């Protein structure tokens, strides 16, 4: 990963205003690996290209402040190239994720209709004395979706028994 690069230390955290106040006179949009990581963990990037743009900003800041031939500028350029290559090597996966997020954000959730139908089946099945179908809302990489986990009427959910957990794990292939 980028953080483990031997010469990436200067980019790990924001530049200290106390130690290098001139940096903030020269660089108008500072960025660090910590800030990029925070944005990733908060799902702030809407696209992979937006994340690459922050790596590009970090590179350009290093060049602007230290000069193009400095060791820090070269390391920032190497970090940028590495991040860009990871995105490009996995472009199809990123594009698919971005499309799924766009669909959910724009209200194109086809699964919502299925959930409504499944919810009707759930109440009908529960009233017949048979098992009841259950829906579970899950969030994976910031994308929320509903999943039909099926007929749970045959499971014995006893909080005292670990063997039930093992049985459930086996049936769900966990």
């Amino acid at each position: 990963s980028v953080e483990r690069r031997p010469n990436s230390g200067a980019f790990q955290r924001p530049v200290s205003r106390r130690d290098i106040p001139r940096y903030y006179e020269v660089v108008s949009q500072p960025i660090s690996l910590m800030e990029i990581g925070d944005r990733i963990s908060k799902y702030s990037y809407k696209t992979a290209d937006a994340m690459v743009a922050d790596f590009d900003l970090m590179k350009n800041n290093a060049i602007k402040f230290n000069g193009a031939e400095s060791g820090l500028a070269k390391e920032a350029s190497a970090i940028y190239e590495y991040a860009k290559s990871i995105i490009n090597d996995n472009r199809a996966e990123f594009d698919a994720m971005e499309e799924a997020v766009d669909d959910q954000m724009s209200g194109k959730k086809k699964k919502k209709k299925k959930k409504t139908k499944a919810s009707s089946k759930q109440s009908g099945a529960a009233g017949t004395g048979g098992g009841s179908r259950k829906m579970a809302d899950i969030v994976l990489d910031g994308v929320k979706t509903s999943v039909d986990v099926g007929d749970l009427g045959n499971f014995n959910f006893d909080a005292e028994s670990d063997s039930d957990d093992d049985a459930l794990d086996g049936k769900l292939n966990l």
Side-chain angles (χ1 to χ4, degrees), residues 149-150 152 155 157 165-174:
V149 292
L152 299 177
F155 287 107
F157 293 105
D165 292 338
D166 293 339
L168 180 60
D169 289 348
K171 290 186 181 191
L172 295 176
N173 295 323
L174 298 178

Side-chain angles (χ1 to χ4, degrees), residues 62-64 66-70 73-74 77:
I63 292 169
K64 184 176 186 179
N66 300 292
E69 296 303 315
S70 71
K74 289 178 182 178
S77 295

